[in-house]
Amino acid sequence: AHTTAVAYGERLAAVVGGLPLGVVTCTPDGRIAFANDAFARLLGHAAGRDVVGLDVFALTHPDDVAADQAQARAVVDAAQD
C-alpha cells in the first residue's frame, strides 16, 4: 500500500508540476510544502523547490493575511474532525 501511495504521489507531482498555472500546497503553519515551477516563476524563482519552506503569509498582501490565516485554520480544523 505504501509503494502504491508513493507511486501515486510521484505521478501527481509530475502532472501538477507540468501545469502552466501556479499550484502550491502549504503546511498548517503556512510554510510552502510543494510548489510547481509556474508558481515559483510568479515569485521570481526558477523552480518550485526554490520556494519550499517559505512562509506563504509573508507573501500575502497585508490586508489579506488575517482572513487567509483564519481560512487555513478552518481547513486544518475540518480535517481533524
Side-chain angles (χ1 to χ4, degrees), residues 16-29:
V16 172
L19 291 174
L21 302 173
V23 177
V24 64
T25 62
C26 298
T27 63
D29 66 346

Side-chain angles (χ1 to χ4, degrees), residues 33-61:
F34 170 85
N36 68 356
D37 292 348
F39 181 83
R41 286 191 299 273
L42 291 171
L43 302 178
H45 296 272
R49 67 180 168 275
D50 298 336
V51 300
V52 169
L54 294 181
D55 180 356
V56 75
F57 299 119
L59 304 171
T60 303
H61 189 280

